Amino acid sequence: MEIGIQIVSEIRQELESILDRCGIMYRLFARGKSKDSIEHKINTSPGKYTSTGKKIQDVLGFRIVFYFLEDVKTICHYLMTQHHIDIFVDKSDSEAELKEKENEPDGVKYVEVFRPQRLNLIFRMHDERARWFMNELKSTDFSNPNTYLLIDATYEIQLRSVLSEGWHEVEHDLRYKCKSAPMWSYCETESRSLNGIYASLETNEVAMELLFDRMAYLNYKSRDWEDMLRNHFRIRINPYNTLSDKNKMALNTDTRTAKKILGIKRANLHSALLSISKRYPINYDNLLFLTNRMLGTEANQAIIDTEPVLIREMLDGAKIGQKD
């Protein structure tokens, strides 16, 4: 039986609320380790975890899998800097480990090494949640009654892209978990080939983003405004919704507005959506209202004039496109 099921459910809902607000395309997985899994982790590395030193921090774990690689950093930054959620503690980032030290007679040399992209965040639970979690651990029937002292009131959030997710799953179970196996001493070529598969996936992720950007530009040239908005911003939007005739006419009359909207970065759109206090309903018209406002003094007044009262109040309240 998993530990912390109720807390996992709460945190999952909090994460989904954040992700849904900015419309990012994702899949979210969550779990709590079982008693047997915790004991196995402790017994596998005797002495690694202590009550006064290093503790297990990932009894509760979450994995957010993004459709697009560029969204990983956007959400990473948001989670690390927002104080209304649990307290950010640590970041394990493969980019920070791309250089490996080598001792040399005249000092330390840094050598570039290949590492699959990995981004894991650790958060410390707030006081009430931490007490609830620790009380559950204390009441768990561990073989050693003091096992709960080796566990921290924290949880891990892993951030991945969708194409790399399958590779990480295979690598984790068939290489990482058995990295001490003797086979890796005579399967070095195969190990490098496994890394090569990941490298090709990473290249394809970038190519996929560029492909949709290219399609969005072709949509702009063809005045297919709904397709342009969908392919450029790549957020969850009702596929059965359509752009109003008034807004289509406004874009057809002044295509410069569409071109300027095409220049808005996706990360900036996500930030704007997260700045709105209430969840902003995402459909084609509302997406156009928001991105048009983001143009500031260059916003199209004809589009502003068609904003419904509720949408106008939300955008005004978040000061979208307004100077402080």
Side-chain angles (χ1 to χ4, degrees):
M1 181 177 178
E2 294 183 356
I3 290 174
I5 293 178
Q6 187 166 346
I7 297 177
V8 166
S9 177
E10 288 180 2
I11 297 173
R12 179 177 188 141
Q13 289 177 20
E14 293 169 6
L15 291 173
E16 288 176 338
S17 176
I18 292 170
L19 296 164
D20 291 343
R21 277 176 59 199
C22 60
I24 277 181
M25 295 182 171
Y26 71 95
R27 290 288 183 268
L28 176 59
F29 305 92
R31 61 103 180 103
K33 285 184 180 292
S34 66
K35 176 181 77 72
D36 292 340
S37 178
I38 293 171
E39 291 183 329
H40 175 74
K41 184 166 187 172
I42 293 171
N43 295 332
T44 300
S45 304
K48 181 177 181 179
Y49 304 105
T50 66
S51 59
T52 57
K54 181 179 177 62
K55 295 186 178 183
I56 298 175
Q57 295 186 306
D58 64 344
V59 166
L60 308 185
F62 304 84
R63 181 177 298 167
I64 307 174
V65 179
F66 300 91
Y67 283 25
F68 297 98
L69 182 63
E70 60 184 313
D71 297 341
V72 173
K73 288 186 178 180
T74 299
I75 294 302
C76 175
H77 175 74
Y78 184 82
L79 293 176
M80 289 172 59
T81 55
Q82 295 305 301
H83 302 294
H84 61 273
I85 54 179
D86 289 320
I87 304 166
F88 168 70
V89 175
D90 192 23
K91 173 184 176 184
S92 176
D93 185 358
S94 61
E95 286 193 7
E97 300 169 355
L98 285 176
K99 289 189 175 181
E100 188 176 80
K101 290 182 180 179
E102 276 193 1
N103 292 322
E104 291 208 341
D106 57 345
V108 177
K109 176 184 177 183
Y110 289 88
V111 181
E112 294 287 343
V113 295
F114 174 86
R115 292 182 190 274
Q117 284 214 9
R118 163 180 57 76
L119 186 53
N120 302 335
L121 306 177
I122 299 294
F123 291 85
R124 185 168 302 284
M125 302 176 197
H126 58 69
D127 292 345
E128 182 179 353
R129 183 173 281 167
R131 284 194 294 271
W132 192 356
F133 179 62
M134 295 311 297
N135 285 336
E136 181 175 351
L137 288 173
K138 289 178 184 178
S139 63
T140 301
D141 184 26
F142 289 113
S143 300
N144 182 341
N146 291 323
T147 292
Y148 76 94
L149 296 172
L150 308 181
I151 300 171
D152 211 350
T154 57
Y155 57 88
E156 180 182 66
I157 300 178
Q158 298 179 348
L159 307 179
R160 302 280 189 269
S161 59
V162 70
L163 290 188
S164 70
E165 169 63 5
W167 184 94
H168 277 286
E169 287 290 312
V170 172
E171 191 275 342
H172 182 266
D173 286 350
L174 296 179
R175 182 168 65 178
Y176 176 78
K177 281 190 173 182
C178 56
K179 57 186 177 182
S180 61
M183 64 170 284
W184 297 116
S185 64
Y186 58 84
C187 290
E188 293 180 359
T189 299
E190 287 72 20
S191 184
R192 286 196 300 272
S193 295
L194 184 58
N195 290 342
I197 292 172
Y198 177 86
S200 66
L201 289 172
E202 191 176 73
T203 301
N204 286 331
E205 285 180 318
V206 175
M208 186 165 65
E209 292 173 2
L210 293 173
L211 175 65
F212 279 97
D213 287 339
R214 173 63 180 168
M215 286 194 292
Y217 178 73
L218 293 175
N219 299 149
Y220 156 74
K221 297 290 286 185
S222 300
R223 299 192 178 192
D224 292 332
W225 307 127
E226 293 164 6
D227 292 338
M228 184 195 80
L229 291 170
R230 183 180 63 254
N231 288 326
H232 179 58
F233 292 112
R234 303 191 287 278
I235 60 176
R236 291 197 185 280
I237 192 166
N238 186 345
Y240 305 107
N241 173 256
T242 58
L243 202 60
S244 68
D245 290 338
K246 287 184 178 180
N247 282 329
K248 286 180 181 178
M249 183 179 298
L251 291 174
N252 285 329
T253 302
D254 183 7
T255 58
R256 292 174 300 175
T257 298
K259 189 172 184 179
K260 292 169 187 174
I261 289 174
L262 203 57
I264 295 175
K265 294 181 179 179
R266 295 178 65 248
N268 292 341
L269 173 66
H270 297 148
S271 296
L273 286 166
L274 288 169
S275 72
I276 301 174
S277 58
K278 296 180 180 179
R279 182 171 174 177
Y280 187 78
I282 302 176
N283 56 43
Y284 285 110
D285 278 330
N286 291 345
L287 180 57
L288 181 62
F289 294 141
L290 173 57
T291 53
N292 180 57
R293 284 285 199 103
M294 291 175 68
L295 299 178
T297 57
E298 296 183 312
N300 186 309
Q301 188 60 46
I303 295 174
I304 292 178
D305 291 342
T306 63
E307 292 175 356
V309 174
L310 177 60
I311 295 301
R312 180 168 298 173
E313 290 176 351
M314 294 178 76
L315 296 176
D316 286 344
K319 298 184 178 180
I320 302 297
Q322 301 177 18
K323 292 184 178 180
D324 295 331

